[in-house]
Amino acid sequence: MGSASILASGQAKQPVFSFGVISDVQYADIPDGYSFHGTPRFYRHSIQILQRAVEKWNSHGKLKFVIDFGDIVDGKCPRDNSLTAVKKVTGEYKKFNGPVYHMIGNHCLYNLPREKLLPLLHISNPNGLAYYDFSPSPDYRIVILDGYDISAIGWPESHPKTLQALEFLEKKNPNLEKNSPEGLVGLERRFLMYNGAVGEEQLEWLDGILQDATKLKQKVIVGCHLPLDPGASYREALLWNYGEVMSVIYQYNCVKVCFSGHDHKGGHSVDSHGIHHRSFEAALECPPGTDAFGYVDVYDDRLVLFGTDRMESTVMCFKH
């Protein structure tokens, strides 16, 4: 659908609510570099994108909140500068005239352990977990998942969740370097150390939330740093147990859209159950003078993403 049609579809009636989106700012006060695959990365420019995003979101005037899809600072940020860098980026988010909801990504966890990171992101969970939900309107609920619940990064070295993740990787990835997909075939290429999984307790929590949303006749938007569908992402970026998460979601009819970051190039798919999956283009990989952020208009029967520049606008229609 062209941008003219998107605008036309968005003007038919007022949205139920609207919110801003951005992903993978990965700021660091270091010279530009490259990803493992040779994609240019612009570490200092990314915070300027966030500044322009906040300015645009504020000028919109009707955005209820903003969701950051994780990785606000980069793993290459010098460790003695991690806290300063995280505070600098969260300081920019605070300039938005409304609440900002964060989720954790692997790069955030390379910089700071959970106990230091979560308070800075205003995520309060007594067990150091980073999943939560909120209802911006009576008709909708937003669920934020913690994709690094079972992970080899972010927890103390001897933590049961770290040990569980390392044991899992040992079984699934024969490489000495656990961030290498060498020799792994197809969807197995997701079994890398920079990914993670949603644990049992969180799966039960998700099940309870979706039961509740169904009773209240709410539609649900799921957010996770890690993508949940191979059609919307590189295989190497997927949540380890995305199938388990989706099998919980498929028990209900309330989830309409799953948003994610991590993948960087961006993607959109509609799965076998009619759920839309949209991974967002990374701010980090925008050359100076370009941007990647947007806002979403939410309606009863669709979500319309209005992307800026490298973030592609997308219409996501669903059945009631």
Side-chain angles (χ1 to χ4, degrees):
M1 187 183 267
S3 54
S5 323
I6 290 172
L7 286 169
S9 73
Q11 283 168 348
K13 58 176 181 168
Q14 287 300 302
V16 182
F17 62 91
S18 304
F19 63 97
V21 293
I22 193 167
S23 191
D24 299 86
V25 171
Q26 289 182 225
Y27 166 74
D29 189 10
I30 57 171
D32 296 343
Y34 295 89
S35 74
F36 178 72
H37 301 290
T39 308
R41 293 185 158 181
F42 305 93
Y43 300 106
R44 290 186 177 121
H45 176 243
S46 63
I47 201 166
Q48 293 172 36
I49 296 173
L50 175 58
Q51 288 162 348
R52 290 194 290 271
V54 170
E55 208 174 298
K56 199 160 178 182
W57 293 329
N58 282 337
S59 70
H60 183 285
K62 287 186 180 169
L63 300 185
K64 203 160 189 181
F65 54 91
V66 160
I67 303 182
D68 145 47
F69 282 82
D71 281 359
I72 62 172
V73 286
D74 194 82
K76 289 186 177 171
C77 176
R79 289 297 162 270
D80 56 356
N81 198 29
S82 290
L83 190 59
T84 310
V86 169
K87 283 183 172 173
K88 185 170 176 174
V89 181
T90 53
E92 294 301 332
Y93 277 110
K94 281 174 188 160
K95 293 174 188 173
F96 172 65
N97 300 329
V100 177
Y101 296 96
H102 294 278
M103 60 193 79
I104 53 171
N106 50 313
H107 283 266
C108 309
L109 296 169
Y110 296 146
N111 278 276
L112 293 174
R114 281 172 178 260
E115 71 269 17
K116 284 195 175 153
L117 183 66
L118 297 190
L120 293 167
L121 300 179
H122 300 288
I123 300 172
S124 54
N125 186 307
N127 305 318
L129 290 157
Y131 56 85
Y132 57 95
D133 73 301
F134 62 99
S135 292
S137 84
D139 302 330
Y140 270 92
R141 187 175 299 203
I142 294 182
V143 173
I144 303 295
L145 298 178
D146 180 352
Y148 291 90
D149 179 356
I150 308 299
S151 167
I153 42 179
W155 298 105
E157 274 179 45
S158 57
H159 195 284
K161 286 178 184 282
T162 311
L163 301 176
Q164 191 183 336
L166 289 171
E167 192 183 329
F168 177 84
L169 281 169
E170 203 53 51
K171 269 189 215 151
K172 299 286 189 183
N173 186 334
N175 296 313
L176 199 60
E177 168 48 74
K178 297 299 180 198
N179 273 328
S180 167
E182 189 72 35
L184 297 177
V185 177
L187 291 167
E188 289 178 359
R189 293 176 74 83
R190 72 187 188 277
F191 299 130
L192 305 172
M193 195 184 263
Y194 62 63
N195 296 330
V198 165
E200 281 301 321
E201 188 188 317
Q202 189 179 170
L203 286 170
E204 282 170 28
W205 170 85
L206 175 63
D207 188 66
I209 292 291
L210 299 184
Q211 266 183 51
D212 192 47
T214 302
K215 275 183 208 151
L216 296 169
K217 295 186 167 53
Q218 291 177 316
K219 296 178 182 76
V220 177
I221 299 165
V222 171
C224 183
H225 180 66
L226 293 151
L228 302 173
D229 186 67
S233 160
Y234 287 121
R235 290 162 300 190
E236 292 86 348
L238 291 161
L239 185 81
W240 288 342
N241 65 334
Y242 73 87
E244 277 188 285
V245 172
M246 292 313 298
S247 69
V248 172
I249 287 172
Y250 290 157
Q251 287 173 50
Y252 305 91
N253 293 315
C254 53
V255 175
K256 303 301 175 189
V257 178
C258 297
F259 286 139
S260 60
H262 195 53
D263 166 75
H264 287 209
K265 75 181 188 318
H268 175 229
S269 63
V270 182
D271 69 22
S272 58
H273 286 62
I275 297 171
H276 289 263
H277 295 261
R278 178 72 169 85
S279 62
F280 294 118
E281 294 81 356
L284 172 69
E285 291 178 3
C286 292
T290 65
D291 285 313
F293 58 85
Y295 70 91
V296 177
D297 279 349
V298 176
Y299 296 90
D300 291 333
D301 62 346
R302 70 195 184 281
L303 267 60
V304 182
L305 166 65
F306 291 87
T308 300
D309 203 2
R310 289 166 69 98
M311 186 175 284
E312 211 169 296
S313 294
T314 313
V315 178
M316 293 155 272
C317 298
F318 42 80
K319 293 172 191 151
H320 281 281

